[in-house]
Amino acid sequence: MSQEQTPAVPGEDDLPEQLRIRREKRAGLIERGVEPYPVSVLRTASLADIRAKYATLETDSTTGDIQSLTGRVIFKRDTGKLCFATLREGDGTELQAMLSLDKVGQEVLDSWKSDIDLGDIVSVTGEIITSKRGELSILASSYSIAAKSLRPLPNDHKPMSEETRVRMRYVDLIVRDEARSNARLRPAVMRSLRETFHQQNFVEVETPMLQVMHGGAAARPFKSFSNAYDMDLFLRIAPELFLKRCVVGGIERVFEINRNFRNEGADSSHSPEFAMIECYQAYGDWRSIADLTRALVQNAAMAISGSHVVTHHDGRQADLGGKWREISLYDAITEGVGESVTALTPLEDLMKIATKLGMKIDPKWITGKLAEEIFEHVAKDQLIAPTFVMGFPIDTSPLVRAHRELPGVAEKWDLYVDGFELATGYSELIDPVVQRERLIEQATLGAKGDLEAMQVDEDFLRAMEFAMPPTGGMGMGVDRLLMALTGLGIRETILFPLVKPEVE
RNA sequence: GGGCCUAUAGCUCAGUCGGUAGAGCAACGGACUUUUAAUCCGUGGGUCGACAGUUCGAGCCUGUCUGGGCCCA
């Protein structure tokens, strides 16, 4: 006191007024012997319990039921001798607390008015009643502070800016109903997905995220390093090659739901880390795996909205029910450009078509890649209702079996919903000799500077040489599934999406 | 990668022609025993994202950088 003290936190003196006042209130409580962060407080029921128990209580009644309830103070309406506050608990359930002079006395009432701020978490003990206006309430005989908030809550009636919501999701969850429901949507969808898999006798496995060699998809990886082994490691871009090892080993129906990492840009439909489903079904093919995919999506829709018709957050409805439309990729291109295009159409002809469409062409694109780009250019906007796009070019699908009839085409589909790619499914390539040739082609592309090309995974090829049964496989983005079910952007489906650090 | 928009009080946002920084909520002081975003009276709160430039003078104009959003590829 007598000496000059440097503040414990640098710049404590420079805190904004509201933060400083709350820190002073905390210190004041401690000085008076009141613990602002007690080890426990009284709680006999949740607010939801009380709401359920007294759903039909008449206006201005008493119950004689004494409870201790906790919640965060989100509104305060202080009058001279009777104070009201709205308490809110984690799922958004609210209940009114009332403190009256004749029940708690002058000292307690004064302390409530001066010590308790919006955002504080409190425990209130008293009788459950309804007010003269009919509001279900707890009429306090005493209260205690459960945890003092040192920061003011944002304005509860104006939505926080998108940036603030993402940077401070914990506050978003306190103040925004949709944030709370979104957070609970994902686990509901995850449970539904797992149930569908279990109904169909799929076994869930967990395969490595830290990999010696990345593979199973075309993407740039995040690179790490193992000090103990003195070698480079990669965060996985896909679990595919390990799940296929499982199928070789006899786990005939296998799935994994877990995180993949891709060292690429982030936008409204891409996140550097994202949850992905992959599954493999021995003795299945691209057709059987398409049926499974439809069941996964439709059951998830049913789980969260009780119907195959889902309502997006903006009120738009999307019907995911029934059997989905199928179109052939090359038929769609042919229709879109008005001249016949097949997997055998040479690169030069595709170039002419793309140029005529005014597309920007990357000279590194191979024939199949160019065909896919033309498809996206002419047809993507029509893919709002769920649509299987069947038959992708074989030169961009190194892990897929060739189509049983169409030359140059692979037995691969992409599922489009709402204009974006939700899932992809294959008849898997199981001939180890062809598989080796395809991976070596990829490695050649890699040597030429294609950073997304796959590496040759010798152990994977050895596994394939022990024979994998004919198999259908599928991959689906979980975040994108949530987008298709809700219409939200990917950053709203992920609780804590990657954000660059705030600058001081 | 290219283009457009954006950053101002704790939160959400105004800020005209370049001339002393504004509102609502929140906060602080006071009144109020049935409020529901309570009401009424009063008060305080700002490194206008950062740096540079133009100017007598910059929240505003110019440039660079940083964060965020949208569109295109």
Side-chain angles (χ1 to χ4, degrees):
Chain A
M1 281 296 212
S2 55
Q3 301 156 307
E4 276 190 12
Q5 286 188 332
T6 46
V9 179
E12 181 104 347
D13 290 341
D14 305 330
L15 281 177
E17 183 191 33
Q18 299 203 35
L19 272 60
R20 184 172 45 77
I21 287 167
R22 287 181 180 234
R23 273 168 174 73
E24 286 166 7
K25 286 189 182 182
R26 171 188 170 277
L29 288 167
I30 292 170
E31 211 162 288
R32 279 159 35 214
V34 178
E35 175 53 68
Y37 303 100
V39 68
S40 69
V41 291
L42 289 173
R43 190 192 203 204
T44 55
S46 70
L47 302 185
D49 291 338
I50 298 302
R51 283 236 168 258
K53 189 172 173 184
Y54 295 109
T56 58
L57 198 59
E58 275 176 34
T59 293
D60 204 11
S61 32
T62 58
T63 63
D65 185 4
I66 306 298
Q67 299 277 358
S68 294
L69 306 178
T70 60
R72 194 182 287 273
V73 177
I74 54 150
F75 292 123
K76 267 185 104 190
R77 297 173 290 279
D78 289 348
T79 70
K81 299 187 179 66
L82 178 63
C83 297
F84 302 87
T86 305
L87 306 184
R88 180 185 287 165
E89 65 189 7
D91 65 358
T93 305
E94 295 175 5
L95 195 79
Q96 177 167 271
M98 296 168 62
L99 287 90
S100 76
L101 178 63
D102 56 10
K103 286 279 189 297
V104 299
Q106 192 67 52
E107 200 180 324
V108 170
L109 193 68
D110 287 346
S111 79
W112 172 265
K113 288 191 205 175
S114 60
D115 295 342
I116 302 302
D117 293 308
L118 295 185
D120 291 355
I121 303 174
V122 296
S123 164
V124 177
T125 298
E127 183 183 0
I128 307 302
I129 62 158
T130 49
S131 72
K132 284 180 180 164
R133 294 286 175 85
E135 185 77 32
L136 186 62
S137 308
I138 180 166
L139 179 60
S141 51
S142 67
Y143 86 94
S144 65
I145 188 161
K148 177 82 194 151
S149 173
L150 294 185
R151 290 177 182 269
L153 284 180
N155 185 343
D156 199 75
H157 315 293
K158 292 278 175 90
M160 286 195 295
S161 67
E162 227 170 302
E163 182 177 1
T164 313
R165 289 187 337 215
V166 168
R167 287 196 188 276
M168 295 198 285
R169 187 69 83 194
Y170 35 89
V171 180
D172 193 25
L173 289 166
I174 294 168
V175 300
R176 194 167 58 103
D177 200 46
E178 200 181 17
R180 286 188 288 272
S181 59
N182 288 346
R184 285 159 175 79
L185 207 62
R186 177 182 281 262
V189 168
M190 295 291 260
R191 180 163 354 126
S192 164
L193 291 169
R194 289 198 159 95
E195 277 169 10
T196 303
F197 277 122
H198 289 309
Q199 280 161 16
Q200 305 207 21
N201 295 317
F202 278 76
V203 174
E204 180 168 13
V205 298
E206 294 190 60
T207 65
M209 296 209 186
L210 266 181
Q211 300 182 341
V212 173
M213 179 173 281
H214 66 278
R220 297 179 67 172
F222 284 96
K223 203 171 159 182
S224 187
F225 182 76
S226 163
N227 293 333
Y229 287 10
D230 188 30
M231 66 179 183
D232 289 334
L233 289 176
F234 299 93
L235 293 182
R236 75 173 185 197
I237 56 175
E240 171 154 0
L241 302 187
F242 281 97
L243 293 175
K244 285 182 170 172
R245 286 168 168 95
C246 291
V247 178
V248 169
I251 307 178
E252 293 185 358
R253 294 181 169 211
V254 65
F255 77 100
E256 178 165 10
I257 304 181
N258 227 320
R259 221 71 66 81
N260 291 343
F261 306 86
R262 295 188 181 176
N263 205 342
E264 293 162 359
D267 60 33
S268 57
S269 64
H270 293 82
S271 171
E273 60 174 316
F274 60 99
M276 178 110 176
I277 302 166
E278 276 201 24
C279 64
Y280 293 86
Q281 180 185 32
Y283 309 107
D285 64 5
W286 65 332
R287 290 272 168 199
S288 68
I289 212 82
D291 291 341
L292 171 66
T293 304
R294 194 158 51 85
L296 287 166
V297 173
Q298 290 179 342
N299 290 350
M302 191 60 83
I304 62 163
S305 68
S307 160
H308 288 165
V309 179
V310 292
T311 304
H312 286 189
H313 70 120
D314 59 3
R316 193 163 63 87
Q317 293 204 320
D319 187 355
L320 305 175
K323 217 160 154 58
W324 294 338
R325 188 164 74 110
E326 287 182 14
I327 60 173
S328 140
L329 180 118
Y330 282 102
D331 290 353
I333 296 176
T334 298
E335 200 176 306
V337 304
E339 60 182 288
S340 172
V341 175
T342 71
L344 302 179
T345 304
L347 184 64
E348 306 84 70
D349 293 7
L350 293 178
M351 290 276 207
K352 278 182 211 150
I353 291 167
T355 310
K356 207 159 67 186
L357 290 168
M359 291 171 54
K360 237 186 194 173
I361 301 164
D362 187 331
K364 288 202 291 288
W365 285 347
I366 54 177
T367 315
K369 175 72 176 167
L370 185 54
E372 287 177 21
E373 293 288 336
I374 293 173
F375 167 74
E376 290 208 352
H377 188 86
V378 298
K380 203 170 179 178
D381 292 345
Q382 309 162 24
L383 305 173
I384 302 303
T387 303
F388 286 111
V389 179
M390 313 290 291
F392 274 66
I394 200 151
D395 54 1
T396 55
S397 314
L399 302 168
V400 187
R401 170 189 286 272
H403 195 281
R404 50 198 92 182
E405 286 154 18
L406 300 172
V409 174
E411 291 204 350
K412 168 185 170 178
W413 51 256
D414 272 5
L415 170 62
Y416 280 82
V417 179
D418 238 4
F420 60 84
E421 186 192 333
L422 174 60
T424 185
Y426 312 156
S427 296
E428 300 294 340
L429 174 61
I430 62 168
D431 182 333
V433 175
V434 177
Q435 180 68 85
R436 177 178 293 278
E437 287 166 5
R438 297 262 190 90
L439 285 184
I440 286 171
E441 279 169 30
Q442 284 283 309
T444 313
L445 289 175
K448 282 190 198 152
D450 184 345
L451 298 165
E452 294 187 352
M454 294 184 202
Q455 299 168 290
V456 180
D457 184 336
E458 284 295 341
D459 179 67
F460 167 66
L461 288 172
R462 179 170 62 191
M464 297 298 289
E465 287 167 9
F466 279 95
M468 184 168 93
T471 295
M474 185 276 283
M476 174 158 58
V478 173
D479 313 288
R480 289 189 169 195
L481 174 58
L482 284 158
M483 290 165 63
L485 293 171
T486 63
L488 295 166
I490 197 166
R491 284 155 69 83
E492 293 294 314
T493 71
I494 298 176
L495 213 38
F496 299 103
L498 183 68
V499 277
K500 290 196 186 174
E502 293 163 86
V503 280
E504 291 298 314

